[in-house]
Amino acid sequence: MGPPTHGRRLVSEANFIRATRDAGYKTLSTAIAELVDNALQAGATTIHIFVLEARDDNGARQISIAVLDDGHGMARSTLQGALQFGGTERFDDRSGFGRFGMGLPNSSVSQAPRVEVYSWLKQGRVFRVYLDIDEFVNRQRRSIPGPVEASLPRWALRVAGPTGTLVLWTRCDRLKERKASTIGKRLRGALARLYRHVLWRGVHIVVNGEELQPIDPLLRTSDKINGGSVPFGDPLILEVRSPLSEAASTIEVRFTELPVELWHDLATETKRAIGLTGGAGVSVVRYDREIDHGWYFMGEKRKENYDDWWRCEIRFAPELDELFGVTNNKQGINPTPDLRAILEPSLEPIARLLNRRVRQAFERVKESRPSPAAVAASHRDRVLPNIGPDCRRGPGGVAGYQYAIEIHALETPEFFQVRTNGDRIIVVLNEYHPFYHRVYARACNTADQEERFRLESLLLASARAALAARSPAEREWEERHRGLWSDALSAFLSY
Ligand SMILES: Nc1ncnc2c1ncn2[C@@H]1O[C@H](COP(=O)(O)OP(=O)(O)OP(=O)(O)O)[C@@H](O)[C@H]1O
Ligand SMILES: [Mg+2]
């Protein structure tokens, strides 16, 4: 029996193209990312994105969006297939961004009813193909018209390179925003993060004349604020086998810790602006572009507010797409149980450790704030008799000692030390002594701050008394006394 002579076409073009419009790009930025990926894969070093605003006959705003690159451009035969669904010369290639032959047509129809692609291998000799949804829906066409010679739009000519490609989406009809300036701003924010690695490599991406500066979700640097996160340990390199080719591939995981001491009291708006608030989780980078961001691979650990204060980035190569569950619109991952079994045992304990370190940093910050006891002691000091010639207090005259409490990791066994700085008495609590965790930190963490007040008053009073030691012998005795007291306390608390 030979093949059936009558049958149905595999695809009904008119319905297919309408259904495909909803194939699911979550945002304009992820759709545009398909065009940027293609430009980068064509070796572009400068990519211009235009958000163009015009008015229709009724005065309503119409937005068109274009991506222009200075990559190697396309030969006529390649251009012919570029808008075909599945049209690619790199089907299932794993050496770059593209592999499905879907990105260009799929992203285009998701945003606009018409797409035009211009490409040139030589200055002044530009070819163009287009796809107009209405022509298919009205059944005027069943195939894509071939390339014809054309000239570039005027606004593109100014920045076009000697070779390159321009993709133009006209009359975008699926946008959430109406104004070109708002759309441009959103795009800039999203792409600066998606393509941070590419921007760090020196590629220029320009949106309506404004060049993108990389945004780092790991907050190693930020142009909006001083300081930055620091790496936590060396990157973790995990060797895995690609389920497809059996070839060895690596997954790279890095962590950073944000500076709690420096940033804890930033204004809420600043925290939001630098991406601190709600930024917890893993940034997943495929090849060179962020493909997803979320609370992945943390096992049983649930996300808490403290987890905003450390970050993680996981990088993998396209040969591991099957493990990560990358689908053809490259907007996210859907990790397989195999991948989770590889990553979770390493990542979950680190996540828990980092959470703990953040919590401790916040405790330290809280405790080093001026304590009410220190304020009260500074105020009340003047009622006490003078304890030494260098005290700058005369009866009924100048104010007495000022008091402060600090917490440090001391190498000595004492549970506290007394330091002076001019007329300031500083009680330095030793973070390593059991007194700190068993007694002091607990008092600080109870809702009733009276206990902390009383405990600190006791320490401040003792520190003042220590200053009464004048002669070297007296001072030596005072230190010996504090050392013995600390040792005994350590023994008594460690039951
Ligand atoms: N900016 C560009 N410069 C040069 N060639 C391009 C450009 N954009 C698209 N092409 C060509 O058009 C083809 C189709 O692009 P498309 O994005 O649809 O598929 P792909 O990149 O091969 O795979 P994927 O679906 O994974 O993105 C590409 O394979 C490439 O040959
Ligand atoms: Mg592509």
PDB file of all heavy atoms in Angstrom, residues 412-437:
ATOM      1  N   THR A 412      40.615  37.372  73.004  1.00  0.00           N
ATOM      2  CA  THR A 412      40.893  37.095  74.420  1.00  0.00           C
ATOM      3  C   THR A 412      39.700  36.392  75.067  1.00  0.00           C
ATOM      4  O   THR A 412      38.594  36.472  74.559  1.00  0.00           O
ATOM      5  CB  THR A 412      41.160  38.415  75.168  1.00  0.00           C
ATOM      6  OG1 THR A 412      39.988  39.227  75.027  1.00  0.00           O
ATOM      7  CG2 THR A 412      42.349  39.145  74.595  1.00  0.00           C
ATOM      8  N   PRO A 413      39.937  35.704  76.219  1.00  0.00           N
ATOM      9  CA  PRO A 413      38.818  34.949  76.814  1.00  0.00           C
ATOM     10  C   PRO A 413      37.823  35.796  77.617  1.00  0.00           C
ATOM     11  O   PRO A 413      36.853  35.266  78.120  1.00  0.00           O
ATOM     12  CB  PRO A 413      39.530  33.942  77.725  1.00  0.00           C
ATOM     13  CG  PRO A 413      40.858  34.511  78.014  1.00  0.00           C
ATOM     14  CD  PRO A 413      41.212  35.453  76.907  1.00  0.00           C
ATOM     15  N   GLU A 414      38.062  37.098  77.748  1.00  0.00           N
ATOM     16  CA  GLU A 414      37.151  37.898  78.574  1.00  0.00           C
ATOM     17  C   GLU A 414      35.787  38.069  77.923  1.00  0.00           C
ATOM     18  O   GLU A 414      35.684  38.127  76.708  1.00  0.00           O
ATOM     19  CB  GLU A 414      37.717  39.316  78.788  1.00  0.00           C
ATOM     20  CG  GLU A 414      39.042  39.344  79.466  1.00  0.00           C
ATOM     21  CD  GLU A 414      39.916  40.378  78.798  1.00  0.00           C
ATOM     22  OE1 GLU A 414      40.100  40.280  77.563  1.00  0.00           O
ATOM     23  OE2 GLU A 414      40.387  41.283  79.503  1.00  0.00           O
ATOM     24  N   PHE A 415      34.757  38.153  78.739  1.00  0.00           N
ATOM     25  CA  PHE A 415      33.435  38.335  78.140  1.00  0.00           C
ATOM     26  C   PHE A 415      33.156  39.785  77.800  1.00  0.00           C
ATOM     27  O   PHE A 415      32.305  40.082  76.993  1.00  0.00           O
ATOM     28  CB  PHE A 415      32.319  37.681  78.971  1.00  0.00           C
ATOM     29  CG  PHE A 415      31.886  38.376  80.225  1.00  0.00           C
ATOM     30  CD1 PHE A 415      30.737  39.152  80.232  1.00  0.00           C
ATOM     31  CD2 PHE A 415      32.581  38.202  81.419  1.00  0.00           C
ATOM     32  CE1 PHE A 415      30.300  39.760  81.406  1.00  0.00           C
ATOM     33  CE2 PHE A 415      32.151  38.807  82.581  1.00  0.00           C
ATOM     34  CZ  PHE A 415      31.010  39.591  82.584  1.00  0.00           C
ATOM     35  N   PHE A 416      33.923  40.688  78.405  1.00  0.00           N
ATOM     36  CA  PHE A 416      33.871  42.074  77.926  1.00  0.00           C
ATOM     37  C   PHE A 416      35.171  42.798  78.231  1.00  0.00           C
ATOM     38  O   PHE A 416      35.939  42.371  79.091  1.00  0.00           O
ATOM     39  CB  PHE A 416      32.669  42.831  78.505  1.00  0.00           C
ATOM     40  CG  PHE A 416      32.815  43.250  79.948  1.00  0.00           C
ATOM     41  CD1 PHE A 416      33.131  44.569  80.282  1.00  0.00           C
ATOM     42  CD2 PHE A 416      32.626  42.341  80.982  1.00  0.00           C
ATOM     43  CE1 PHE A 416      33.247  44.969  81.609  1.00  0.00           C
ATOM     44  CE2 PHE A 416      32.746  42.726  82.316  1.00  0.00           C
ATOM     45  CZ  PHE A 416      33.058  44.036  82.632  1.00  0.00           C
ATOM     46  N   GLN A 417      35.409  43.849  77.505  1.00  0.00           N
ATOM     47  CA  GLN A 417      36.562  44.707  77.773  1.00  0.00           C
ATOM     48  C   GLN A 417      36.055  46.127  77.946  1.00  0.00           C
ATOM     49  O   GLN A 417      34.962  46.459  77.483  1.00  0.00           O
ATOM     50  CB  GLN A 417      37.531  44.692  76.594  1.00  0.00           C
ATOM     51  CG  GLN A 417      38.326  43.416  76.488  1.00  0.00           C
ATOM     52  CD  GLN A 417      39.308  43.451  75.329  1.00  0.00           C
ATOM     53  OE1 GLN A 417      39.272  44.350  74.492  1.00  0.00           O
ATOM     54  NE2 GLN A 417      40.183  42.465  75.281  1.00  0.00           N
ATOM     55  N   VAL A 418      36.880  46.940  78.578  1.00  0.00           N
ATOM     56  CA  VAL A 418      36.507  48.345  78.744  1.00  0.00           C
ATOM     57  C   VAL A 418      37.502  49.186  77.969  1.00  0.00           C
ATOM     58  O   VAL A 418      38.709  49.019  78.120  1.00  0.00           O
ATOM     59  CB  VAL A 418      36.547  48.744  80.232  1.00  0.00           C
ATOM     60  CG1 VAL A 418      36.122  50.204  80.389  1.00  0.00           C
ATOM     61  CG2 VAL A 418      35.657  47.839  81.055  1.00  0.00           C
ATOM     62  N   ARG A 419      37.000  50.019  77.099  1.00  0.00           N
ATOM     63  CA  ARG A 419      37.886  50.910  76.351  1.00  0.00           C
ATOM     64  C   ARG A 419      37.436  52.331  76.584  1.00  0.00           C
ATOM     65  O   ARG A 419      36.252  52.573  76.833  1.00  0.00           O
ATOM     66  CB  ARG A 419      37.849  50.600  74.856  1.00  0.00           C
ATOM     67  CG  ARG A 419      38.406  49.214  74.556  1.00  0.00           C
ATOM     68  CD  ARG A 419      38.385  48.896  73.090  1.00  0.00           C
ATOM     69  NE  ARG A 419      38.719  47.481  72.906  1.00  0.00           N
ATOM     70  CZ  ARG A 419      38.578  46.834  71.769  1.00  0.00           C
ATOM     71  NH1 ARG A 419      38.103  47.447  70.687  1.00  0.00           N
ATOM     72  NH2 ARG A 419      38.905  45.559  71.674  1.00  0.00           N
ATOM     73  N   THR A 420      38.362  53.254  76.481  1.00  0.00           N
ATOM     74  CA  THR A 420      37.968  54.660  76.582  1.00  0.00           C
ATOM     75  C   THR A 420      38.449  55.399  75.348  1.00  0.00           C
ATOM     76  O   THR A 420      39.438  55.027  74.723  1.00  0.00           O
ATOM     77  CB  THR A 420      38.573  55.341  77.835  1.00  0.00           C
ATOM     78  OG1 THR A 420      39.975  55.123  77.803  1.00  0.00           O
ATOM     79  CG2 THR A 420      37.977  54.806  79.110  1.00  0.00           C
ATOM     80  N   ASN A 421      37.711  56.419  75.042  1.00  0.00           N
ATOM     81  CA  ASN A 421      38.081  57.254  73.903  1.00  0.00           C
ATOM     82  C   ASN A 421      37.696  58.668  74.305  1.00  0.00           C
ATOM     83  O   ASN A 421      36.530  59.034  74.266  1.00  0.00           O
ATOM     84  CB  ASN A 421      37.305  56.772  72.672  1.00  0.00           C
ATOM     85  CG  ASN A 421      37.663  57.574  71.444  1.00  0.00           C
ATOM     86  OD1 ASN A 421      38.535  58.448  71.505  1.00  0.00           O
ATOM     87  ND2 ASN A 421      36.977  57.305  70.349  1.00  0.00           N
ATOM     88  N   GLY A 422      38.692  59.438  74.791  1.00  0.00           N
ATOM     89  CA  GLY A 422      38.368  60.750  75.364  1.00  0.00           C
ATOM     90  C   GLY A 422      37.485  60.546  76.576  1.00  0.00           C
ATOM     91  O   GLY A 422      37.833  59.769  77.469  1.00  0.00           O
ATOM     92  N   ASP A 423      36.331  61.156  76.589  1.00  0.00           N
ATOM     93  CA  ASP A 423      35.450  60.960  77.748  1.00  0.00           C
ATOM     94  C   ASP A 423      34.353  59.934  77.463  1.00  0.00           C
ATOM     95  O   ASP A 423      33.275  59.964  78.017  1.00  0.00           O
ATOM     96  CB  ASP A 423      34.854  62.297  78.212  1.00  0.00           C
ATOM     97  CG  ASP A 423      34.129  63.017  77.093  1.00  0.00           C
ATOM     98  OD1 ASP A 423      34.084  62.465  75.970  1.00  0.00           O
ATOM     99  OD2 ASP A 423      33.606  64.122  77.330  1.00  0.00           O
ATOM    100  N   ARG A 424      34.655  59.033  76.554  1.00  0.00           N
ATOM    101  CA  ARG A 424      33.697  57.993  76.192  1.00  0.00           C
ATOM    102  C   ARG A 424      34.126  56.664  76.788  1.00  0.00           C
ATOM    103  O   ARG A 424      35.286  56.269  76.656  1.00  0.00           O
ATOM    104  CB  ARG A 424      33.725  57.865  74.666  1.00  0.00           C
ATOM    105  CG  ARG A 424      32.409  57.724  74.015  1.00  0.00           C
ATOM    106  CD  ARG A 424      32.659  57.852  72.513  1.00  0.00           C
ATOM    107  NE  ARG A 424      31.928  56.828  71.796  1.00  0.00           N
ATOM    108  CZ  ARG A 424      30.637  56.873  71.588  1.00  0.00           C
ATOM    109  NH1 ARG A 424      29.941  57.919  72.036  1.00  0.00           N
ATOM    110  NH2 ARG A 424      30.018  55.914  70.960  1.00  0.00           N
ATOM    111  N   ILE A 425      33.205  55.996  77.438  1.00  0.00           N
ATOM    112  CA  ILE A 425      33.490  54.660  77.960  1.00  0.00           C
ATOM    113  C   ILE A 425      32.764  53.650  77.074  1.00  0.00           C
ATOM    114  O   ILE A 425      31.556  53.748  76.887  1.00  0.00           O
ATOM    115  CB  ILE A 425      32.978  54.510  79.417  1.00  0.00           C
ATOM    116  CG1 ILE A 425      33.656  55.541  80.327  1.00  0.00           C
ATOM    117  CG2 ILE A 425      33.211  53.090  79.924  1.00  0.00           C
ATOM    118  CD1 ILE A 425      33.200  55.467  81.779  1.00  0.00           C
ATOM    119  N   ILE A 426      33.548  52.725  76.544  1.00  0.00           N
ATOM    120  CA  ILE A 426      32.941  51.744  75.636  1.00  0.00           C
ATOM    121  C   ILE A 426      33.062  50.346  76.229  1.00  0.00           C
ATOM    122  O   ILE A 426      34.165  49.905  76.556  1.00  0.00           O
ATOM    123  CB  ILE A 426      33.627  51.769  74.245  1.00  0.00           C
ATOM    124  CG1 ILE A 426      33.585  53.189  73.687  1.00  0.00           C
ATOM    125  CG2 ILE A 426      32.945  50.796  73.277  1.00  0.00           C
ATOM    126  CD1 ILE A 426      34.652  53.472  72.659  1.00  0.00           C
ATOM    127  N   VAL A 427      31.929  49.709  76.375  1.00  0.00           N
ATOM    128  CA  VAL A 427      31.941  48.309  76.780  1.00  0.00           C
ATOM    129  C   VAL A 427      31.954  47.482  75.501  1.00  0.00           C
ATOM    130  O   VAL A 427      31.048  47.586  74.681  1.00  0.00           O
ATOM    131  CB  VAL A 427      30.696  47.966  77.622  1.00  0.00           C
ATOM    132  CG1 VAL A 427      30.580  46.455  77.819  1.00  0.00           C
ATOM    133  CG2 VAL A 427      30.745  48.675  78.953  1.00  0.00           C
ATOM    134  N   VAL A 428      33.013  46.687  75.340  1.00  0.00           N
ATOM    135  CA  VAL A 428      33.093  45.845  74.144  1.00  0.00           C
ATOM    136  C   VAL A 428      32.755  44.412  74.551  1.00  0.00           C
ATOM    137  O   VAL A 428      33.486  43.791  75.314  1.00  0.00           O
ATOM    138  CB  VAL A 428      34.502  45.908  73.520  1.00  0.00           C
ATOM    139  CG1 VAL A 428      34.557  45.005  72.295  1.00  0.00           C
ATOM    140  CG2 VAL A 428      34.850  47.341  73.150  1.00  0.00           C
ATOM    141  N   LEU A 429      31.635  43.919  74.054  1.00  0.00           N
ATOM    142  CA  LEU A 429      31.231  42.547  74.393  1.00  0.00           C
ATOM    143  C   LEU A 429      31.880  41.567  73.429  1.00  0.00           C
ATOM    144  O   LEU A 429      31.978  41.844  72.241  1.00  0.00           O
ATOM    145  CB  LEU A 429      29.711  42.411  74.305  1.00  0.00           C
ATOM    146  CG  LEU A 429      28.936  43.123  75.402  1.00  0.00           C
ATOM    147  CD1 LEU A 429      27.461  43.098  75.098  1.00  0.00           C
ATOM    148  CD2 LEU A 429      29.215  42.471  76.748  1.00  0.00           C
ATOM    149  N   ASN A 430      32.316  40.442  73.986  1.00  0.00           N
ATOM    150  CA  ASN A 430      33.007  39.440  73.170  1.00  0.00           C
ATOM    151  C   ASN A 430      32.006  38.428  72.603  1.00  0.00           C
ATOM    152  O   ASN A 430      31.426  37.620  73.327  1.00  0.00           O
ATOM    153  CB  ASN A 430      34.052  38.729  74.025  1.00  0.00           C
ATOM    154  CG  ASN A 430      34.880  37.768  73.202  1.00  0.00           C
ATOM    155  OD1 ASN A 430      34.665  37.624  71.987  1.00  0.00           O
ATOM    156  ND2 ASN A 430      35.820  37.106  73.856  1.00  0.00           N
ATOM    157  N   GLU A 431      31.855  38.483  71.292  1.00  0.00           N
ATOM    158  CA  GLU A 431      30.910  37.618  70.594  1.00  0.00           C
ATOM    159  C   GLU A 431      31.226  36.129  70.800  1.00  0.00           C
ATOM    160  O   GLU A 431      30.357  35.286  70.678  1.00  0.00           O
ATOM    161  CB  GLU A 431      31.029  37.949  69.098  1.00  0.00           C
ATOM    162  CG  GLU A 431      29.846  37.584  68.277  1.00  0.00           C
ATOM    163  CD  GLU A 431      30.150  37.802  66.797  1.00  0.00           C
ATOM    164  OE1 GLU A 431      31.091  38.582  66.488  1.00  0.00           O
ATOM    165  OE2 GLU A 431      29.490  37.192  65.972  1.00  0.00           O
ATOM    166  N   TYR A 432      32.502  35.813  71.086  1.00  0.00           N
ATOM    167  CA  TYR A 432      32.907  34.414  71.217  1.00  0.00           C
ATOM    168  C   TYR A 432      32.662  33.840  72.610  1.00  0.00           C
ATOM    169  O   TYR A 432      32.803  32.640  72.813  1.00  0.00           O
ATOM    170  CB  TYR A 432      34.394  34.252  70.881  1.00  0.00           C
ATOM    171  CG  TYR A 432      34.726  34.450  69.421  1.00  0.00           C
ATOM    172  CD1 TYR A 432      36.009  34.848  69.040  1.00  0.00           C
ATOM    173  CD2 TYR A 432      33.767  34.219  68.434  1.00  0.00           C
ATOM    174  CE1 TYR A 432      36.332  35.029  67.702  1.00  0.00           C
ATOM    175  CE2 TYR A 432      34.082  34.394  67.094  1.00  0.00           C
ATOM    176  CZ  TYR A 432      35.366  34.800  66.736  1.00  0.00           C
ATOM    177  OH  TYR A 432      35.674  34.962  65.419  1.00  0.00           O
ATOM    178  N   HIS A 433      32.388  34.712  73.580  1.00  0.00           N
ATOM    179  CA  HIS A 433      32.177  34.209  74.940  1.00  0.00           C
ATOM    180  C   HIS A 433      30.723  33.757  75.079  1.00  0.00           C
ATOM    181  O   HIS A 433      29.819  34.411  74.554  1.00  0.00           O
ATOM    182  CB  HIS A 433      32.495  35.332  75.942  1.00  0.00           C
ATOM    183  CG  HIS A 433      32.597  34.844  77.347  1.00  0.00           C
ATOM    184  ND1 HIS A 433      31.474  34.553  78.088  1.00  0.00           N
ATOM    185  CD2 HIS A 433      33.669  34.574  78.151  1.00  0.00           C
ATOM    186  CE1 HIS A 433      31.860  34.133  79.302  1.00  0.00           C
ATOM    187  NE2 HIS A 433      33.199  34.138  79.357  1.00  0.00           N
ATOM    188  N   PRO A 434      30.492  32.627  75.801  1.00  0.00           N
ATOM    189  CA  PRO A 434      29.104  32.151  75.915  1.00  0.00           C
ATOM    190  C   PRO A 434      28.151  33.190  76.519  1.00  0.00           C
ATOM    191  O   PRO A 434      26.951  33.146  76.270  1.00  0.00           O
ATOM    192  CB  PRO A 434      29.211  30.912  76.813  1.00  0.00           C
ATOM    193  CG  PRO A 434      30.615  30.772  77.220  1.00  0.00           C
ATOM    194  CD  PRO A 434      31.469  31.711  76.419  1.00  0.00           C
ATOM    195  N   PHE A 435      28.714  34.123  77.272  1.00  0.00           N
ATOM    196  CA  PHE A 435      27.845  35.166  77.837  1.00  0.00           C
ATOM    197  C   PHE A 435      27.072  35.882  76.727  1.00  0.00           C
ATOM    198  O   PHE A 435      25.901  36.209  76.876  1.00  0.00           O
ATOM    199  CB  PHE A 435      28.695  36.191  78.615  1.00  0.00           C
ATOM    200  CG  PHE A 435      27.913  37.403  79.052  1.00  0.00           C
ATOM    201  CD1 PHE A 435      27.118  37.370  80.202  1.00  0.00           C
ATOM    202  CD2 PHE A 435      27.958  38.585  78.319  1.00  0.00           C
ATOM    203  CE1 PHE A 435      26.379  38.487  80.590  1.00  0.00           C
ATOM    204  CE2 PHE A 435      27.226  39.698  78.705  1.00  0.00           C
ATOM    205  CZ  PHE A 435      26.443  39.643  79.846  1.00  0.00           C
ATOM    206  N   TYR A 436      27.765  36.073  75.596  1.00  0.00           N
ATOM    207  CA  TYR A 436      27.135  36.842  74.514  1.00  0.00           C
ATOM    208  C   TYR A 436      25.882  36.130  74.003  1.00  0.00           C
ATOM    209  O   TYR A 436      24.803  36.704  73.983  1.00  0.00           O
ATOM    210  CB  TYR A 436      28.145  37.077  73.382  1.00  0.00           C
ATOM    211  CG  TYR A 436      27.493  37.716  72.188  1.00  0.00           C
ATOM    212  CD1 TYR A 436      27.161  39.069  72.211  1.00  0.00           C
ATOM    213  CD2 TYR A 436      27.150  36.966  71.076  1.00  0.00           C
ATOM    214  CE1 TYR A 436      26.511  39.653  71.143  1.00  0.00           C
ATOM    215  CE2 TYR A 436      26.501  37.536  70.005  1.00  0.00           C
ATOM    216  CZ  TYR A 436      26.192  38.884  70.052  1.00  0.00           C
ATOM    217  OH  TYR A 436      25.536  39.448  68.998  1.00  0.00           O
ATOM    218  N   HIS A 437      26.012  34.857  73.630  1.00  0.00           N
ATOM    219  CA  HIS A 437      24.864  34.152  73.045  1.00  0.00           C
ATOM    220  C   HIS A 437      23.847  33.718  74.088  1.00  0.00           C
ATOM    221  O   HIS A 437      22.647  33.833  73.871  1.00  0.00           O
ATOM    222  CB  HIS A 437      25.332  32.930  72.241  1.00  0.00           C
ATOM    223  CG  HIS A 437      26.003  33.321  70.971  1.00  0.00           C
ATOM    224  ND1 HIS A 437      25.297  33.864  69.931  1.00  0.00           N
ATOM    225  CD2 HIS A 437      27.303  33.283  70.591  1.00  0.00           C
ATOM    226  CE1 HIS A 437      26.135  34.143  68.950  1.00  0.00           C
ATOM    227  NE2 HIS A 437      27.353  33.815  69.328  1.00  0.00           N
TER     228      HIS A 437
END
